[in-house]
């Protein structure tokens, strides 16, 4: 993962994402692409696409570039190659198009945290990118300070269709020399005997050269609760999931993981497209 994209709206959440990107970049000798999207009113956008210079637009561009330059001078980015871009496009669509054009390996995005009745839904742009991105997306909610991914939970049904994203996930764990906790959540609606679940996981794991991993079967009332409760029980640093890019967030197992999983945990979540 040598090319990391961090979209920024200059918020604290975006700064948290950039701080995490810097830590990964230093570990993996990666370069960071810092992208700011300018979503202009339609009349301004038409004028810009037609080659007209509008004073207000030029001012927006100037201010955005000045802010990006100031961000690049942050001490935590010392020694890292940072390429900044200002782009006119709708945020989620622009982020996805930019990542394809520039062969990005990982997108890191900040999002709101949540607690009790003050719970805030994940931003619509972040949700769209998570759902539609063909490359891994890492969502972080708080200042990473010193990010650790020593205990990394990967929850799945370990079906054959996740082999490709699983390889990408393994590559990510190797950056941090993480302890990988492979977990299958069993619920009343997706019950498997221990023997059956262990066989599925063992058969799957033998296809990969995975280091520092353990396999777990966790019973709970539903998949979301199971992932969160297992994650908390081992004090994991990071949660990994596979997505189908269908309606909502992640579709795997025989049902779907709702946005609640991302909204209800302050842990970073990384998703890999099936």
């Amino acid at each position: 993962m040598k090319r990391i994209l961090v979209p920024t709206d200059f918020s604290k959440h975006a700064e948290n994402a950039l701080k995490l990107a810097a830590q990964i970049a230093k570990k993996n000798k990666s370069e960071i692409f810092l992208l700011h999207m300018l979503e202009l009113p339609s009349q301004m956008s038409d004028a810009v696409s037609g080659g007209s210079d509008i004073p207000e637009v030029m001012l927006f561009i100037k201010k955005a570039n000045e802010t990006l330059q100031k961000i690049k001078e942050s001490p935590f980015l010392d020694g890292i190659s940072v390429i900044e871009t200002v782009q006119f496009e709708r945020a989620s669509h622009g982020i996805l198009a930019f990542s394809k054009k520039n062969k990005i390996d990982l997108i890191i995005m900040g999002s709101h945290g949540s607690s009790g009745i003050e719970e805030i839904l994940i931003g619509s742009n972040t949700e769209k990118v998570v759902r539609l991105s063909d490359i891994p997306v890492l969502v972080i909610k708080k200042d990473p300070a010193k990010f650790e991914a020593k205990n990394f939970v990967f929850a799945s049904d370990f079906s054959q269709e996740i082999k490709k994203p699983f390889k990408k996930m393994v590559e990510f764990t190797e950056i941090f020399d993480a302890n990988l906790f492979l977990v299958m959540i069993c619920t009343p609606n997706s019950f498997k005997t221990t023997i059956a679940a262990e066989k599925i996981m063992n058969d799957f794991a033998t296809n990969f050269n995975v280091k520092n991993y353990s396999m777990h079967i966790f019973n709970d009332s539903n998949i979301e609760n199971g992932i969160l409760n297992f994650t908390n029980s081992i004090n994991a640093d990071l949660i990994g999931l596979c997505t189908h890019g269908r309606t909502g967030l992640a579709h795997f197992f025989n049902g779907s993981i709702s946005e609640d999983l991302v909204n209800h945990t302050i842990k970073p979540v990384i998703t890999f497209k099936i």
Side-chain angles (χ1 to χ4, degrees):
M1 294 187 175
K2 297 295 186 181
R3 299 163 73 86
I4 303 172
L5 172 61
V6 181
T8 180
D9 57 0
F10 306 136
S11 66
K12 182 64 178 176
H13 305 297
E15 182 182 349
N16 291 340
L18 185 56
K19 286 180 177 178
L20 175 52
Q23 293 181 46
I24 295 175
K26 287 177 179 177
K27 280 181 174 290
N28 204 43
K29 297 180 180 178
S30 308
E31 57 184 340
I32 294 174
F33 291 75
L34 190 58
L35 175 65
H36 178 67
M37 307 301 299
L38 275 175
E39 295 190 54
L40 301 175
S42 58
Q43 65 272 21
M44 287 190 181
S45 182
D46 292 341
V48 170
S49 62
S52 301
D53 290 338
I54 300 177
E56 293 92 334
V57 174
M58 303 311 292
L59 179 61
F60 290 151
I61 295 172
K62 182 174 182 291
K63 289 294 184 183
N65 281 318
E66 287 175 353
T67 305
L68 287 173
Q69 191 58 43
K70 187 176 180 181
I71 290 172
K72 281 183 65 176
E73 295 168 1
S74 301
F76 63 83
L77 291 173
D78 286 349
I80 301 171
S81 172
V82 180
I83 301 160
E84 77 275 18
T85 303
V86 177
Q87 194 163 296
F88 296 99
E89 204 163 354
R90 194 171 68 252
S92 58
H93 182 270
I95 291 166
L96 294 169
F98 184 93
S99 68
K100 288 183 180 179
K101 181 180 178 181
N102 291 277
K103 298 180 180 178
I104 299 299
D105 300 309
L106 173 67
I107 300 173
I108 304 181
M109 300 185 73
S111 180
H112 297 286
S114 60
S115 60
I117 60 172
E118 296 179 349
E119 195 172 285
I120 304 172
L121 289 179
I122 187 170
S124 59
N125 285 323
T126 303
E127 181 194 343
K128 287 176 184 175
V129 173
V130 166
R131 174 159 35 96
L132 300 174
S133 175
D134 290 329
I135 63 172
V137 181
L138 176 53
V139 180
I140 187 166
K141 294 188 177 181
K142 60 181 182 178
D143 189 329
K146 186 179 179 182
F147 179 72
E148 296 285 351
K150 281 297 179 185
N151 293 331
F152 181 7
V153 168
F154 183 76
S156 176
D157 63 348
F158 301 97
S159 60
Q160 295 302 302
E161 67 177 349
I162 74 157
K163 281 187 174 182
K164 186 175 178 180
F166 188 82
K167 285 180 68 175
K168 290 185 179 179
M169 186 275 302
V170 171
E171 290 173 9
F172 186 82
T173 64
E174 289 174 349
I175 296 173
F176 293 93
D177 192 26
N179 298 313
L180 184 58
F181 293 78
L182 305 178
V183 60
M184 179 183 289
I185 307 299
C186 291
T187 72
N189 292 327
S190 62
F191 176 76
K192 290 181 179 65
T193 65
T194 299
I195 291 174
E198 286 178 345
K199 185 178 189 309
I200 291 170
M201 297 179 75
N202 275 309
D203 289 348
F204 183 89
T206 55
N207 292 294
F208 301 90
N209 182 24
V210 189
K211 302 174 183 176
N212 303 326
Y213 79 97
S214 56
M215 294 185 292
H216 305 267
I217 300 159
F218 195 84
N219 301 319
D220 214 314
S221 56
N222 59 57
I223 293 170
E224 294 93 334
N225 286 343
I227 295 171
L228 291 173
N229 289 332
F230 178 78
T231 297
N232 291 332
S233 72
I234 64 164
N235 194 27
D237 303 301
L238 180 65
I239 301 171
L241 301 170
C242 285
T243 69
H244 271 294
R246 298 172 184 162
T247 305
L249 240 191
H251 279 247
F252 65 111
F253 292 43
N254 293 320
S256 65
I257 299 299
S258 69
E259 286 88 346
D260 286 349
L261 180 62
V262 175
N263 293 328
H264 292 170
T265 179
I266 61 171
K267 304 284 187 183
V269 176
I270 185 168
T271 59
F272 301 85
K273 179 79 169 287
I274 293 176

